[in-house]
Amino acid sequence: MSNFLEKMQQRYTVKQYKPDVKLSQTVLDELKAILQLSPSSINSQPWKFTFVTDKETKTQLAPFSYHNKQRVLDSSCVVVFQVIKDVAAFEQQIKDHLPEGAVNYYYNMIKPSGDEEISRWLVNQVYIALGVLLSACAQMDIGSTPMEGIEPDKYDGILGDDKYRSLFAVALGVQDENDTNHPDRRPKLRLDREKIFQDI
Ligand SMILES: Cc1cc2nc3c(=O)[nH]c(=O)nc-3n(C[C@H](O)[C@H](O)[C@H](O)COP(=O)(O)O)c2cc1C
């Protein structure tokens, strides 16, 4: 069995963190370097990742995090995943940074579908980075909680970013030994292989 499969079997959504144990800056910097390498359609990279370690800011975010409140408070870091707001600004970014072929793909294949489809496509790219971060955390034995259960508008107000809007967040830290969601206590629930795989 590969080391990565074992890590994926062991990873789980952390529900309870050790509030006093913090991830080092070296670890957070490595996660940033990994996130920067996330793939995206045409290499569009319509994202921003805000790493919140400041206690006061986490305390402000917590009430707007539904059932995730305690995880936001106790985790070592909350990474807020944001998408670029303004389509015109995104188009400028790709013109500045991407080869002509990629820019043409956007104008031929995405842009004609309209604003709603553009927005959906941009958001899809940010979710790819979520998968990358969760996989990296599994590999590095870092506790993580993906959280769509947040109020993005409220997060935006606290982060004070007018160019990007919040989509979801990931809490990071060291899991408490008593975490009830640990796979030893709550075995992983997944659909059967026969239902989700097809070989042709
Ligand atoms: C996009 C996304 C959003 C999620 N939002 C939350 C959340 O707000 N709070 C939470 O405790 N878990 C959240 N989860 C965790 C899922 O419930 C969890 O991944 C799933 O039940 C499988 O369990 P496991 O991650 O422990 O294997 C989210 C997961 C994903 C991928």
Side-chain angles (χ1 to χ4, degrees):
M1 196 198 303
S2 79
N3 166 272
F4 188 59
L5 175 54
E6 262 180 67
K7 296 283 187 181
M8 286 300 287
Q9 287 168 337
Q10 286 157 11
R11 76 147 289 285
Y12 69 98
T13 294
V14 174
K15 304 285 182 180
Q16 194 183 344
Y17 286 95
K18 282 186 182 207
D20 302 325
V21 190
K22 301 295 170 207
L23 299 175
S24 69
Q25 192 55 49
T26 311
V27 165
L28 294 179
D29 286 343
E30 185 168 340
L31 291 177
K32 285 180 184 171
I34 291 166
L35 272 174
Q36 189 185 7
L37 291 168
S38 294
S40 56
S41 178
I42 65 160
N43 211 6
S44 50
Q45 306 166 75
W47 47 48
K48 185 168 170 184
F49 311 104
T50 297
F51 280 58
V52 183
T53 50
D54 176 52
K55 201 174 169 192
E56 202 173 301
T57 309
K58 287 206 289 131
T59 306
Q60 285 179 281
L61 295 174
F64 304 114
S65 310
Y66 299 111
H67 53 297
N68 297 306
K69 181 178 175 184
Q70 202 58 42
R71 320 193 229 296
V72 168
L73 291 172
D74 292 344
S75 60
S76 176
C77 179
V78 174
V79 184
V80 184
F81 284 64
Q82 298 151 283
V83 67
I84 195 162
K85 265 189 192 174
D86 182 40
V87 170
F90 170 72
E91 290 170 354
Q92 191 57 52
Q93 175 177 299
I94 61 173
K95 279 178 198 152
D96 290 345
H97 296 283
L98 299 187
E100 201 185 334
V103 177
N104 289 342
Y105 176 92
Y106 168 78
Y107 280 102
N108 292 329
M109 306 297 286
I110 309 294
K111 178 95 171 156
S113 306
D115 285 349
E116 207 174 303
E117 179 57 21
I118 296 170
S119 172
R120 196 187 63 80
W121 180 76
L122 294 173
V123 169
N124 285 348
Q125 311 314 317
V126 186
Y127 273 87
I128 296 169
L130 169 66
V132 169
L133 181 66
L134 296 180
S135 303
C137 287
Q139 182 62 34
M140 294 164 71
D141 298 320
I142 297 167
S144 65
T145 315
M147 301 181 295
E148 277 182 323
I150 63 164
E151 293 183 62
D153 291 350
K154 296 287 198 303
Y155 268 51
D156 286 344
I158 293 162
L159 299 180
D161 192 327
D162 58 348
K163 294 196 171 61
Y164 290 80
R165 72 184 168 88
S166 302
L167 295 172
F168 52 86
V170 178
L172 301 172
V174 176
Q175 52 270 55
D176 194 279
E177 310 64 45
N178 299 317
D179 190 343
T180 51
N181 208 36
H182 192 284
D184 287 352
R185 264 155 251 139
R186 183 174 298 171
K188 284 212 166 288
L189 283 173
R190 292 294 191 269
L191 294 174
D192 291 339
R193 285 179 179 217
E194 302 75 60
K195 188 166 172 69
I196 63 165
F197 296 115
Q198 177 174 228
D199 294 303
I200 294 178

